[in-house]
Amino acid sequence: MKVKISPNLLPAEALLLTCSSHEARCRGLFLEMENWRPTHAILFHYDDDNPKREVNHKLMEQDLLSRGIKPLSLAFKESSAVKSLHDNMRALKNALLQNPGLAIVLDISVFTKRHLLMLLRWLDDEALWSHLWIVYTEPDDYDVSKYVPLSFGLSSVQQIPGFAACPDFSRPLHLALFLGYEGDRALAVYEHLQPTQTTLAIPYPPYRPSWTGRTERFNADLIGLVGAGTTENVDSIDPENVYSALVRIFGPPGERAACARILCPLGTKPQTLGIYSYVRSCVDAPAIVYASPLRHNHELFSHGVGDTWVLKMAY
């Protein structure tokens, strides 16, 4: 589902989980929902040195304090993601115990994909999936005037911690690679894994009609190598569309597959949510891998704040 945010859509009694970033859209929910006041808030803070993040983190704290909410800030180190999540578990559990029965509103706009997938798995394991509301704010645009990628190099390809599936390489390998604006990184993943079969997921329709063709241009070398016939259009915003696309690509989640299967989410955050929704329902779950870049291109990243969407409601 994808529903544009509206003033009375989110629950009033809620625990907010959100994250600060150098991207302006980390404050998108606050700017869009000026009168919404969650009961409690947890604000994740990444460890890489970025002055813009520090400014936005303080602004987010002020946004919450102006609503009468004192947020709890939790540090998260991408270089030691498992330890960071483990260190955060006690604070997360305490917040849940002190606020029983609250809905959980998770703003996924600027989480790293590894952190997001690990957090979704933890919330699911704590039997909180049905309590979960998920929101997402688009960027207004990216600076792609020179088609410089959003990250450089590839330091490692690792399975996401918390997901038990391990590809059986005695079977042919089918890779589903969700593409974004990081063509060199995607090509390096393909060359590293050497799959027997590849599906390249293109975010279409994109956030803006004027963005059509950007992903293909960023990934032209990979598409040329694998073949244009391997591409699959997958909605950039709607997780349910992503789920349906994965049923087409990999088969129904209740069936075992002839191939070993790997998912690599380099596309949008809503697509990553759709990937999780599919994997959590599989009896023969694909492995999910995270491709760590050598460095991100913070100078030519997103700018501005776009639309805010509700992607999942509690039930």
Side-chain angles (χ1 to χ4, degrees), residues 24-279:
R25 62 182 171 137
C26 65
R27 297 180 62 219
L29 180 62
F30 300 138
L31 298 174
E32 189 73 33
M33 301 283 284
E34 293 181 354
N35 296 319
W36 182 61
R37 290 174 172 79
T39 306
H40 187 47
I42 291 178
L43 179 57
F44 289 98
H45 180 277
Y46 292 128
D47 63 322
D48 60 305
D49 183 25
N50 193 305
K52 290 181 180 179
R53 172 180 284 116
E54 302 311 313
V55 170
N56 285 334
H57 190 88
K58 290 179 180 178
L59 288 172
M60 292 178 76
E61 289 180 324
Q62 293 170 11
D63 287 330
L64 288 161
L65 289 170
S66 69
R67 291 164 164 81
I69 304 148
K70 185 177 181 181
L72 172 64
S73 290
L74 295 179
F76 192 92
K77 294 184 177 181
E78 269 290 299
S79 58
S80 54
V82 175
K83 184 178 185 302
S84 288
L85 184 64
H86 181 269
D87 292 345
N88 290 336
M89 281 180 184
R90 179 175 296 178
L92 289 166
K93 287 184 177 180
N94 285 340
L96 293 168
L97 288 171
Q98 292 168 11
N99 300 277
L102 289 184
I104 300 170
V105 175
L106 174 62
D107 183 351
I108 69 172
S109 304
V110 295
F111 277 85
T112 65
K113 295 185 179 76
R114 174 165 50 188
H115 186 193
L116 172 59
L117 285 163
M118 291 169 61
L119 183 59
L120 287 171
R121 171 61 82 191
W122 183 82
L123 291 166
D124 207 355
D125 288 345
E126 294 292 316
L128 295 169
W129 184 255
S130 62
H131 297 259
L132 199 58
W133 293 68
I134 298 181
V135 299
Y136 174 76
T137 299
E138 303 171 1
D140 183 53
D141 205 348
Y142 290 91
D143 187 345
V144 296
S145 56
K146 297 180 180 179
Y147 282 88
V148 178
L150 300 187
S151 66
F152 302 100
L154 184 71
S155 63
S156 65
V157 177
Q158 299 176 332
Q159 285 190 238
I160 300 288
F163 293 83
C166 183
D168 175 7
F169 288 110
S170 67
R171 297 186 287 172
L173 176 59
H174 186 179
L175 170 65
L177 190 50
F178 281 70
L179 301 180
Y181 294 172
E182 301 173 89
D184 291 347
R185 191 173 168 194
L187 179 58
V189 170
Y190 172 79
E191 292 179 334
H192 177 81
L193 294 174
Q194 292 290 302
T196 310
Q197 180 180 354
T198 305
T199 302
L200 304 177
I202 305 291
Y204 185 85
Y207 295 163
R208 310 276 183 277
S210 61
W211 297 12
T212 300
R214 281 186 184 177
T215 300
E216 291 89 333
R217 181 164 176 180
F218 270 104
N219 294 276
D221 290 342
L222 176 60
I223 294 171
L225 179 64
V226 180
T230 64
T231 61
E232 175 93 17
N233 288 339
V234 182
D235 196 288
S236 58
I237 290 287
D238 188 354
E240 292 180 358
N241 179 278
V242 177
Y243 185 102
S244 298
L246 284 169
V247 171
R248 294 194 303 272
I249 294 167
F250 280 158
E255 297 180 0
R256 295 197 171 273
C259 294
R261 299 170 299 169
I262 292 180
L263 283 158
C264 183
L266 294 177
T268 68
K269 302 290 170 46
Q271 288 180 334
T272 303
L273 174 60
I275 287 170
Y276 180 78
S277 297
Y278 176 79
V279 169

